Every structure is written in structure tokens, then in C-alpha cells.
Amino acid sequence: MKVLLTDQVFPSVETERALLSEAGHELVIASTPEDLRHHLADADAVLTTYQPLPEEVLSTMKNAKIIARYGIGVDNIDLASAASRGIMVTNVPDYCVEEVAEHAIAMALSLHRRLHDADASTRAGEWGVASVRPIHRLSTLTAGFLGFGRIGRRVASTMATFGCRIVAHDPYATDLPSTVNGVEMDELLGQSDLLFLHAPLTAETRGIINADTIARLPERAIVVNVARGPLVVLEDLIAALRADRLGGAGLDTFPTEPVDPGLLIDVPNLLVSPHTAYYSEEAITESQRKATNQVIKVLSGEKADYPLTAG
């Protein structure tokens, strides 16, 4: 069967090609928009990363049995439309949990310990704690989590080892550990000295961190977003940093990517990275292998490991 790769973002797709060939399938890589439209019409399966697949695109797909996304979020795919057409949608929700959690924690700790200020003052010939005051013990702070899935739980367990009190708001999490306090959104905002965003991007969560919600955070709270960029209204966050309302922000994702670097010039206490929290060599290989295996399983009539629609 024909398996279409909509957007080639990896250094190599030999993993996909070898697995699919062994299963008797052909891998086709779209090279132009016209090429993409042509192959979507009769592809039996689709592998995708960032390519938007809205209803008007899905309506052109006559043979597709599965759309397999390499990553975790599927906001680039119209799930309802796929389900109505009997197309299975899968993701790989467990491929980079370690990496993203590590990245979030690294950002939070760097901002909390004000390492950027310490580095700058040391290089400027200053000595002592004047440039980093005030810093409070982590054990006196509350770490809050908006979204409490695999990654959020891993970050929370690490922050708890530093003595942080842990609170979480996730309407879909029903089995919170006894060490985690489930709270409503208002309580989350009011209590989080460190706010970690681990929510999916939905109509309800888009722009959820904005001028109003930032104003409800404790003074000089730190916000870390390694989830989806549009969770945050970037202009509001930057304004809060410039006004010294927030103690810091760590952003790995942005509403528009690549982000306009001009927006980031001279923004105080802002730590950014270019959507790399997911990355390690091992994570990339795992994502490619697992996404491809979903295709192979569904095309052979087996159950997918990570179904998001019934198909």
C-alpha cells in the first residue's frame, strides 16, 4: 500500500522506509504542495509532523485508513473530520517524555536561580548576590501544573524532590497522586509560584495565559511553556516581564514559529529555545519507529497502540 510522508523534517527516513518495505508497503515523500495534493488523493496511509490537515484536505483523501503523527499534539489535524471519514488518527504520546520534562525543569531552575543574571554580573566583574536578589528556597514555593499528563507528572515528581508543594489543574486527570493537590483554575493561578504549562492546544486552552490570568499569578511568578505556543498570548507575557510583574518565563514554543526574534530583544528574565524540548537522538528515532509501526499495524488490520479516533 501507499504511505505518504507529508513533510520531511528528519535527517533521514531510512527507518520508515525499511519498516514499511519489510511490511510490503511503499513510502512516498511529498516534495511540493502540488505533489502533496496529488498523493493525498490515493494514499492508503499518511505520516505527518506539521502539515495542516483540515477538513477541506481530508475530504480529498479517498483511500486513507490512518494518519499517524510523529509527535504528541494533533492540533494540525481535524480529528472530527477524520473520524467522520473512518480515518484512524494516531500520535506518539510517550516518545519524548524524558526530554521535555528535563527541558522544562532546566528552564525553571535556571530562571529561579537567576543564572542569566549571575552569569552577566560575573562577566562584568561584579561579585556577590546583589544581582540575583531575591531568591527563595524551592521548598517554600508552590509548583503549579496546567495539564497533568505524562510530562507534567514527570516534572512534578522531580520538583517535589526539591520540596515544592504541587498543585495541578486538569479536568481530564482523575487519578492524581496523593502528593498532588487538584485545584480549580483560579486556585492554580493564585498559588503557582512556578507555573508549568503541559496542556494540549484546544479551543478552551488557546490563549489561556493572557493579561488577565497573568495578573492572578503571585508577584514575580515564573511561567514555563514547553507544550504548545498558542497557550500563551505572547504580547501579554512580554508586557508582564517588562513591567516586572513576572519573575521570569521560559518558552520553547511560540504562537507563530519560527518566532520573530525582534519580539524578544531586551525582554528581561526571558529564557527561550527554538522548539527543541522534544529533542534527543534517541527520541527522534523512537518517534519515527513508533509512528511508522502505527501505520503498519492499521494497514494489516491490527489495533493501533495510540488511537485518537476510531477509524
Side-chain angles (χ1 to χ4, degrees):
M1 294 187 182
K2 179 177 177 178
V3 180
L4 174 65
L5 177 58
T6 64
D7 45 339
Q8 158 64 315
V9 299
F10 302 116
S12 167
V13 291
E14 289 311 305
T15 294
E16 292 91 327
R17 198 179 300 280
L19 289 171
L20 290 169
S21 177
E22 184 179 348
H25 305 308
E26 174 192 13
L27 178 66
V28 176
I29 302 173
S31 55
T32 66
E34 294 74 20
D35 197 32
L36 176 66
R37 287 193 293 270
H38 170 73
H39 288 297
L40 278 172
D42 65 348
D44 298 287
V46 170
L47 284 162
T48 190
T49 303
Y50 301 120
Q51 178 64 43
L53 295 172
E55 194 278 336
E56 56 266 30
V57 173
L58 297 181
S59 67
T60 69
M61 298 166 63
K62 306 306 181 186
N63 296 340
K65 300 171 181 62
I66 176 174
I67 298 170
R69 188 175 188 275
Y70 284 105
I72 297 174
V74 289
D75 43 275
N76 60 317
I77 303 168
D78 188 328
L79 296 182
S81 178
S84 72
R85 289 173 166 77
I87 302 173
M88 170 77 73
V89 177
T90 63
N91 63 349
V92 189
D94 56 359
Y95 86 100
C96 62
V97 173
E98 176 180 347
E99 288 79 5
V100 178
E102 175 186 308
H103 202 95
I105 294 163
M107 281 186 148
L109 294 181
S110 178
L111 288 162
H112 169 66
R113 293 301 306 176
R114 298 185 64 177
L115 294 185
H116 53 296
D117 290 327
D119 179 90
S121 65
T122 304
R123 294 174 186 274
E126 301 172 13
W127 201 254
V129 300
S131 66
V132 300
R133 275 181 165 156
I135 296 175
H136 298 284
R137 285 180 174 173
L138 277 175
S139 59
T140 68
L141 305 181
T142 295
F145 292 80
L146 179 58
F148 207 66
R150 290 178 177 86
I151 297 169
R153 289 168 189 257
R154 186 150 185 159
V155 175
S157 66
T158 300
M159 298 308 295
T161 66
F162 293 116
C164 289
R165 176 173 172 264
I166 307 297
V167 298
H169 174 70
D170 187 332
Y172 304 103
T174 57
D175 58 341
L176 297 182
S178 59
T179 54
V180 177
N181 299 298
V183 296
E184 295 301 318
M185 186 65 182
D186 282 344
E187 296 175 281
L188 178 76
L189 294 170
Q191 297 177 27
S192 297
D193 302 297
L194 304 165
L195 179 62
F196 293 90
L197 308 184
H198 294 290
L201 179 62
T202 65
E204 292 75 25
T205 62
R206 183 179 293 273
I208 196 168
I209 301 304
N210 52 50
D212 175 62
T213 51
I214 290 170
R216 288 185 269 162
L217 290 168
E219 288 288 339
R220 298 195 57 75
I222 290 170
V223 176
V224 175
N225 185 17
V226 294
R228 283 289 180 263
L231 296 176
V232 175
V233 179
L234 184 59
E235 295 79 3
D236 292 353
L237 183 77
I238 288 174
L241 289 168
R242 292 193 185 280
D244 205 29
R245 175 63 182 77
L246 290 176
L251 303 177
D252 181 60
T253 59
F254 298 85
T256 300
E257 295 181 349
V259 66
D260 177 0
L263 297 174
L264 311 178
I265 295 173
D266 296 329
V267 180
N269 300 317
L270 176 63
L271 180 61
V272 298
S273 53
H275 204 145
T276 56
Y278 71 92
Y279 168 72
S280 74
E281 290 296 315
E282 292 79 8
I284 293 296
T285 299
E286 184 179 4
S287 173
Q288 292 180 271
R289 176 174 52 80
K290 286 185 172 180
T292 305
N293 280 335
Q294 302 316 295
V295 168
I296 293 170
K297 285 187 173 186
V298 170
L299 292 183
S300 64
E302 297 179 37
K303 292 183 178 180
D305 299 310
Y306 316 108
L308 296 173
T309 62

